[in-house]
Amino acid sequence: MRRAGITSDMMYIAGFGSIMASIASWAMSMRAEKAGMDRADRWGIFVGEWAPTFFALGVALRMEEEYGEETPSERAERMKHRVREAMPVG
């Protein structure tokens, strides 16, 4: 996703947009359709379920933006270096 130009901020915006769309679809379904509250609730829940997915993708992309694409051994070496700087051993 990152290579396609999608950023974590875009995913966070999509998550909040999903919440707003959920509220809007619930309200429109209540007014426009004569199917009642059950139908409106289903529409709102269906659209609202997308939000956690967008937020999870946003977190994953944020981590990749901050740490980059490291191999596990590179990550381990970086962590060792940070620990040694924080706690100098005599």
Side-chain angles (χ1 to χ4, degrees):
M1 291 180 71
R2 188 168 165 223
R3 291 180 185 152
I6 297 172
T7 66
S8 60
D9 291 335
M10 290 174 177
M11 287 291 108
Y12 293 139
I13 290 168
F16 286 115
S18 175
I19 293 169
M20 294 293 118
S22 174
I23 294 167
S25 67
W26 177 81
M28 286 190 299
S29 181
M30 282 289 293
R31 291 187 189 121
E33 296 179 336
K34 303 220 186 292
M37 179 74 101
D38 291 341
R39 176 84 175 238
D41 286 347
R42 286 187 200 114
W43 269 112
I45 290 170
F46 173 71
V47 177
E49 286 179 347
W50 302 342
T53 303
F54 289 133
F55 288 127
L57 289 170
V59 169
L61 285 169
R62 177 69 54 150
M63 290 173 61
E64 191 172 327
E65 289 166 1
E66 287 182 14
Y67 299 111
E69 295 182 28
E70 292 179 315
T71 64
S73 61
E74 290 172 336
R75 191 174 316 128
E77 287 300 318
R78 183 177 46 80
M79 290 171 70
K80 284 181 196 175
H81 183 70
R82 280 194 350 214
V83 169
R84 288 183 182 137
E85 285 179 348
M87 296 177 21
V89 178

